[in-house]
Amino acid sequence: MGSTSSGRPVGARDRDSEGRARNARPRDGLGRPLPYGTEGVARQPEGVPRTPQETLAEAQELLDAGKPFHAHEVFEDAWKSGPEEERELWRGLAQLAVGLTHAARGNVTGGARLLRRGAGAVEAWASASGRGRPHGMDLAGLTVWARGLARDVEDRERLADGGGVVDAGARAPRLRG
């Protein structure tokens, strides 16, 4: 079997076992696509039911390893499968992880915007629910971290010392304060 110009085998379809479209390209640690045939970072399995404690432990491990894209997928599972009253919390946490992903990729505008959006969502959820420390998380600390990182990324770009790119592992938040 030959290959297309992208390196994907001719006739190969990026589909899962149930026929849903899936991009099978390998990815780097920040979720960027690599050429077919390249060794990539293992993806997080989708649709895994986890307890909130398991979600937080796995996401923290991924964040600390500089893999915020993968942590976002863990938060997304919680957002999509968790209790209705917590969905906006997990969605906000997923936005924070994606914001860190974009900041680490050098996308200053998108990174800062998503960090602020996620901080706003987490803050709104905490205010509406009256819960500032659900599952041991420090939501106030996370919002301060996100807004501070957004400012730092924009400042770095203005000062042209790194183009706004941050080290995702070094700048990972502490989910539990």
Side-chain angles (χ1 to χ4, degrees):
M1 183 183 278
S3 296
T4 65
S5 62
S6 69
R8 184 176 70 193
V10 172
R13 296 176 66 200
D14 287 351
R15 303 272 176 190
D16 66 15
S17 62
E18 285 142 24
R20 291 185 301 254
R22 296 282 188 234
N23 188 332
R25 281 179 73 175
R27 304 266 175 175
D28 72 5
L30 292 173
R32 292 175 289 218
L34 299 169
Y36 284 97
T38 304
E39 179 92 19
V41 173
R43 291 185 146 170
Q44 289 304 115
E46 292 181 45
V48 176
R50 300 173 185 89
T51 67
Q53 300 307 322
E54 290 168 335
T55 295
L56 292 170
E58 189 168 342
Q60 188 69 67
E61 186 177 310
L62 291 163
L63 289 165
D64 291 345
K67 298 178 183 175
F69 178 82
H70 296 77
H72 131 269
E73 292 176 332
V74 171
F75 287 135
E76 192 172 273
D77 281 343
W79 155 29
K80 292 180 176 179
S81 67
E84 183 66 37
E85 65 272 7
E86 289 188 357
R87 289 202 175 150
E88 289 305 309
L89 168 64
W90 297 111
R91 183 171 171 253
L93 294 169
Q95 289 173 330
L96 293 178
V98 173
L100 179 56
T101 300
H102 281 283
R105 290 176 178 175
N107 177 356
V108 172
T109 302
R113 185 175 291 141
L114 280 161
L115 286 162
R116 288 189 179 102
R117 186 180 303 153
V122 167
E123 192 171 60
W125 184 88
S127 178
S129 71
R131 294 171 60 196
R133 296 190 61 83
H135 311 294
M137 282 185 279
D138 177 11
L139 299 186
L142 283 170
T143 60
V144 167
W145 165 84
R147 290 185 175 121
L149 181 57
R151 273 191 311 276
D152 289 352
V153 167
E154 290 169 334
D155 288 347
R156 288 179 66 146
E157 169 137 292
R158 271 193 295 282
L159 298 172
D161 78 346
V165 176
V166 299
D167 178 329
R171 296 302 302 266
R174 306 297 336 136
L175 298 173
R176 294 180 178 135

